[in-house]
Amino acid sequence: VRIANAFQPALFVSVHHNADAGGRHDVNETQTYYKLGDEGASLDVAQDVHRALVRNVGIEVQNVSPGN
């Protein structure tokens, strides 16, 4: 976060694939975060990236969320 903020980006998107904390291999979640407070460019790109992951990688639809 510190490095990203130092560049003062016009938008920021972060993709996370979280494994199940209990170690189950059939349970996982993909989340795409956009810059907190930026319901413009960051949200638009995050939604586009997440839709592409769902369509091209075959992940289940999870969520797009703001993050800091």
Side-chain angles (χ1 to χ4, degrees):
V1 172
R2 180 180 50 79
I3 293 169
N5 287 336
F7 284 99
Q8 299 180 338
L11 61 92
F12 187 81
V13 174
S14 180
V15 178
H16 298 250
H17 183 77
N18 304 315
D20 178 60
R24 291 183 51 194
H25 296 289
D26 60 331
V27 176
N28 54 64
E29 181 176 82
T30 301
Q31 299 169 308
T32 306
Y33 291 92
Y34 62 94
K35 185 177 178 184
L36 183 65
D38 182 5
E39 277 69 37
S42 291
L43 174 58
D44 293 342
V45 171
Q47 289 174 329
D48 288 345
V49 166
H50 200 78
R51 275 193 294 269
L53 287 170
V54 170
R55 183 177 52 249
N56 296 307
V57 180
I59 66 168
E60 292 183 25
V61 177
Q62 301 294 331
N63 61 29
V64 174
S65 303
N68 61 358

